[in-house]
Amino acid sequence: MQKFDQIEALLQGKAPGRIAVAAAHDDHVLQSVHDVYRKGYALPILIGDKEKIFAIADRLAIDVSAMTIIKELDDRRSAEIAVNLVNDHEADVLMKGILQTSDLLKAVLEKDKGLRTNRLLSHVGVYELRGYHKLLYITDGGINIAPDLKQKMDIVRNAVGVATALGVAKPKVAALAAVETVNPAMQCTLDAAALTVMSQRGQLKNCIVDGPLAMDNAIDLDAAKHKGIISPVAGDADILLCPDLEAGNILVKALIFLDKAKSCGLITGARVPIVVTSRADSSDAKYYSILLALAIRDL
């Protein structure tokens, strides 16, 4: 895939997914949810301040009268209700509205009533870039602060699952570092080398991992050739595995705010996809994040 429009094409002709939106009383959230609903891709369940929801809808001139609306003024309780809807098989996707991410994840991770699986939760972002020949997946810039090797294995598996669901047959994963050589003083290079061997030996399935690779080598074949790097991933990476949250967060914000990249993303590893966007994200980013979640809801 090269364009976000191709994600939307995956939903055409499919039955609409049911999306539970916690604390839905927000302009950008309601606009993006309505756009998805209007096209027949989703059946929203809005949980939050009912009066504010209707006031925002009036101001934006959108019709929410046919949507299910559950009145709940408490943000934490609205998150719990949204999670319960998933547990009761009444929702296929969970979405964060105008509440703290920590409040939503607390409900998701609750031991007995949450949406835990045996997988690690991680964030997968998808980016449409002017300077790259296909959609680029970047992980994890939002959840895991300093993942160890075991956690990076799960993060790779989660990202590979998303990319595969969008039609990438065998995603190429670049394990990023500041350098392209193994340096015992840099733990991320040791992790990258270990992940590469795991991929070669079938411990990480349905993908090709190579690393450590610096950013230029991962996305630019000429840069890799100049440094004498021979790799099936170099210059053609589908997934960029960042060494830690700080690197991932800085990378994706640089792409969005400096290069005006189109972006969407979600949290995966729970029982259903979770749409968690920033308050600074545009309605378009929220819209495509919902589409992404709906596209992989059967993952």
Side-chain angles (χ1 to χ4, degrees), residues 165-194:
L166 295 189
V168 184
K170 197 167 187 178
K172 298 176 180 179
V173 183
L176 295 181
V179 295
E180 58 278 344
T181 54
V182 176
N183 184 339
M186 301 174 70
Q187 183 60 45
C188 65
T189 68
L190 299 175
D191 291 346

Side-chain angles (χ1 to χ4, degrees), residues 120 140 144-149 151-152 155 191 242-245:
L120 180 76
D140 173 356
N144 297 284
I145 297 173
D148 59 22
L149 178 59
Q151 291 172 319
K152 287 178 181 178
I155 291 169
D191 291 346
C242 297
D244 56 34
L245 182 144

